[in-house]
Amino acid sequence: MNGPDPLLKLVADSGPLCRCCDLEDSAFCAGLSPEGLRRLRSIRGNLTCEAQETVFREGDNAENIYSVVQGCIKLSKLLSDGRRQVIGFLFPGDFFGFSPSGLYGYTAEAISPSTLCRFSEQRMKALLATTPELEQRLRTRLVMELAFAQEQMLLLGRMSAREKISHFLLMLSRRAVARHDPPSPIAVPMSRLDMADYLGLTIETVSRTLTTMKKDGLIALPSPGVVDLLDRDGLHRIADGRDGG
Amino acid sequence: MNGPDPLLKLVADSGPLCRCCDLEDSAFCAGLSPEGLRRLRSIRGNLTCEAQETVFREGDNAENIYSVVQGCIKLSKLLSDGRRQVIGFLFPGDFFGFSPSGLYGYTAEAISPSTLCRFSEQRMKALLATTPELEQRLRTRLVMELAFAQEQMLLLGRMSAREKISHFLLMLSRRAVARHDPPSPIAVPMSRLDMADYLGLTIETVSRTLTTMKKDGLIALPSPGVVDLLDRDGLHRIADGRDGG
DNA sequence: CGGTCGGTTGAAAACAATCAACTTCTGTGG
DNA sequence: CCACAGAAGTTGATTGTTTTCAACCGACCG
């Protein structure tokens, strides 16, 4: 419900494609001072991806940092025998690509057609070293990411399939709200396989669990890619382990 | 399970007790310029904990940042019905206590008698804002933490009990080496319950799996709290999913 | 109109959890 | 020094949730 942002005028000359600077306070690059914004823009590139397109692969040289402008990006890690763990779904305002080793620790693929901001990792580091406000913003975001990852560990290590799915749907709903979409029905752009690999389950278990939850009146599946959260209190009770399983 | 308030044990004098600045390049505060070091020391306090003592609890106000000097700290999250997930074991050089929300997202307890550096969160933020080199170091460490958390998601979501335990023992060995201890035998200061809660298993499964691995000649358990990694290649093969399960 | 892909459903198998008994270790107090 | 109690760990039997294997359905497409 925010009115037009005065900063929009500043970014107008950067072309209509990149909106990374009017993603309100969600993007790590948002809300910067005009000077910080100018600096960041000076090293920015754009990238558009088709659905299913790979941005980079686990093990590639970590040459770029990315920020999602539009679409949905999936990050995943592979075991040598093909088992896969999806470690995150990224929406507008999220960033990815930082690596402690010089090699990307995960593969990044677009789930839906996506627009990204791209920053050379070297230039970004140089810019961070001279732009404290940017560095601080990034730290805040990294701390958030870490807390989110820890939450996910609790889910993966200790929750039942039903709890996992409930938690996942509520997370998507929360993020939809953060993007000023309604809390329900929600867009679920990822396949059953991606959901399964995110939650440490199999496609069959995801499918079965959704069916059961539908029968229980917790959700409805009006069309592919859409889930209606009919009983969000019930979902919360399940997700928080307050519902006997 | 409330222990005595650890703050009562605050050591006024920094003296020779705090070694956080000679933990080589592992601590986020190490290797700083003399000036950066001076600033950091000016806001530092010390804290010593008995084994099993609680440093802070999930949900407490996040007032302090800590850095481990000696000992081992366990971070964990609880579900309302008591299920627990250990999200990390911290050794000298590791830090903890950053929170995106103002409340700690996990409980921190000492596993063995520990010494910590303690920094007021407010002062630390102020210091970070004026000390770019510190901010950069912290970013590097946060990126490492995040990569580690993502690794753990792969473990929790996609590995068998045997793979989890192998991975865990090798991780402890790697960290022992980083602390200039031999890669084997390794100290395993945590209980079976803590291991289980870290790996998303039960105590019984941890115990059984260790027994099986002992029978297979992969490890030996010469005394409680010590594990001998007899066949580290074998352990690596299992941990990486190259050993048929 | 066959073919593929994503998704659902069914039956069987498997891995880990649960329930339970027992052992070992440790610390305490007689 | 020994006896005992409690905690931590191990082992066994059984159960159960999730996986695996398999068949099927509907949509989309050449």
Side-chain angles (χ1 to χ4, degrees), chain B residues 169-245:
Chain B
L169 292 175
L170 289 170
M171 181 268 284
L172 286 183
S173 176
R174 228 179 302 122
R175 303 190 72 170
V177 169
R179 298 194 306 274
H180 309 292
D181 289 335
S184 172
I186 54 173
V188 181
M190 58 287 289
S191 68
R192 294 287 183 269
L193 181 58
D194 287 339
M195 286 178 59
D197 283 346
Y198 184 60
L199 300 173
L201 300 169
T202 58
I203 6 177
E204 294 95 329
T205 300
V206 170
S207 185
R208 270 188 253 275
T209 306
L210 285 170
T211 303
T212 312
M213 291 171 70
K214 190 168 67 177
K215 279 184 193 142
D216 295 346
L218 290 160
I219 59 172
L221 304 169
S223 68
V226 178
V227 178
D228 211 329
L229 310 187
L230 300 175
D231 179 3
R232 280 192 281 147
D233 286 350
L235 290 170
H236 269 114
R237 250 178 283 121
I238 295 168
D240 296 350
R242 287 183 276 120
D243 202 87

Side-chain angles (χ1 to χ4, degrees), chain A residues 27-40:
Chain A
F28 81 101
C29 52
L32 278 176
S33 70
E35 172 60 15
L37 212 53
R38 192 194 60 72
R39 291 186 190 176
L40 193 61

Side-chain angles (χ1 to χ4, degrees), chain A residues 2 27 29 35 45 90 109 118 140 156 205 240:
Chain A
N2 291 11
C29 52
E35 172 60 15
L90 306 192
E109 296 162 273
R118 190 184 71 227
T140 304
L156 289 168
T205 300
D240 295 351

Side-chain angles (χ1 to χ4, degrees), chain B residues 10-14 17-18 20 40-48 64-67 69 115-120 123:
Chain B
L10 250 176
V11 181
D13 175 31
S14 47
L17 185 64
C18 178
C20 76
L40 192 61
R41 276 219 311 271
S42 75
I43 66 164
R44 191 196 69 210
N46 285 324
L47 179 62
T48 61
N64 292 294
I65 311 294
Y66 298 88
S67 178
V69 179
T115 312
L116 306 173
C117 285
R118 172 179 140 277
F119 306 93
S120 138
R123 287 191 194 170

Side-chain angles (χ1 to χ4, degrees), chain A residues 5-219:
Chain A
D5 188 326
L7 289 182
L8 283 183
K9 288 175 194 134
L10 285 163
V11 294
D13 63 336
S14 69
L17 186 62
C18 178
R19 291 176 20 222
C20 76
C21 301
D22 46 275
L23 285 172
E24 317 206 359
D25 55 4
S26 63
F28 81 101
C29 52
L32 278 176
S33 70
E35 172 60 15
L37 212 53
R38 192 194 60 72
R39 291 186 190 176
L40 193 61
R41 275 218 316 271
S42 73
I43 66 164
R44 191 197 67 213
N46 286 324
L47 180 62
T48 61
C49 299
E50 306 295 315
Q52 317 310 328
E53 202 176 320
T54 299
V55 181
F56 58 73
R57 289 203 161 69
E58 191 177 353
D60 286 355
N61 284 323
E63 291 166 353
N64 293 294
I65 311 293
Y66 298 88
S67 178
V68 182
V69 179
Q70 280 182 341
C72 181
I73 302 289
K74 167 185 75 185
L75 307 184
S76 61
K77 291 171 78 75
L78 275 179
L79 239 31
S80 56
D81 62 354
R83 279 175 287 174
R84 197 178 65 138
Q85 179 67 37
V86 171
I87 59 172
F89 293 111
L90 306 192
F91 294 95
D94 295 329
F95 67 90
F96 61 101
F98 282 99
S99 155
S101 70
L103 304 180
Y104 290 122
Y106 44 80
T107 296
E109 296 162 273
I111 278 185
S112 40
S114 299
T115 312
L116 306 173
C117 286
R118 190 184 71 227
F119 306 93
S120 139
E121 188 263 2
Q122 281 193 345
R123 285 190 195 171
M124 177 62 92
K125 276 198 178 154
L127 182 58
L128 285 166
T130 57
T131 315
E133 62 171 339
L134 189 60
E135 184 85 82
Q136 284 171 54
R137 256 159 224 291
L138 181 57
R139 165 167 46 85
T140 304
R141 291 302 304 257
L142 283 170
V143 169
M144 286 172 61
E145 290 290 314
L146 194 53
F148 193 84
Q150 290 164 345
E151 186 86 14
Q152 192 70 2
M153 288 188 215
L154 176 60
L155 178 145
L156 289 168
R158 287 294 178 234
M159 287 189 185
S160 69
R162 196 176 165 91
E163 290 166 342
K164 285 175 175 179
I165 301 261
S166 299
H167 187 101
F168 176 69
L169 293 175
L170 289 170
M171 182 267 286
L172 286 183
S173 177
R174 227 179 304 121
R175 303 189 73 169
V177 169
R179 298 194 307 274
H180 308 291
D181 289 335
S184 173
I186 54 173
V188 181
M190 58 289 290
S191 67
R192 294 287 182 267
L193 181 58
D194 287 339
M195 285 178 60
D197 284 346
Y198 184 60
L199 300 173
L201 299 170
T202 57
I203 8 177
E204 294 94 330
T205 300
V206 170
S207 184
R208 271 187 252 275
T209 305
L210 285 171
T211 303
T212 312
M213 289 171 70
K214 191 169 66 178
K215 277 182 195 144
D216 295 346
L218 290 160
I219 59 172

Side-chain angles (χ1 to χ4, degrees), chain B residues 13-111:
Chain B
D13 175 31
S14 47
L17 185 64
C18 178
R19 291 177 21 225
C20 76
C21 300
D22 44 278
L23 284 173
E24 318 207 357
D25 53 7
S26 63
F28 82 99
C29 52
L32 278 176
S33 70
E35 172 60 14
L37 211 53
R38 192 195 60 72
R39 290 187 191 174
L40 192 61
R41 276 219 311 271
S42 75
I43 66 164
R44 191 196 69 210
N46 285 324
L47 179 62
T48 61
C49 298
E50 305 295 314
Q52 317 309 329
E53 203 176 316
T54 300
V55 181
F56 57 73
R57 289 200 161 66
E58 189 176 356
D60 285 355
N61 284 323
E63 292 166 353
N64 292 294
I65 311 294
Y66 298 88
S67 178
V68 182
V69 179
Q70 281 181 339
C72 181
I73 302 289
K74 167 185 77 186
L75 307 184
S76 62
K77 291 170 78 75
L78 275 179
L79 240 33
S80 56
D81 63 354
R83 279 174 288 174
R84 199 178 62 139
Q85 179 67 37
V86 171
I87 59 172
F89 294 110
L90 306 192
F91 294 95
D94 296 330
F95 66 90
F96 61 101
F98 283 99
S99 155
S101 70
L103 303 181
Y104 290 122
Y106 44 79
T107 295
E109 295 161 276
I111 278 185

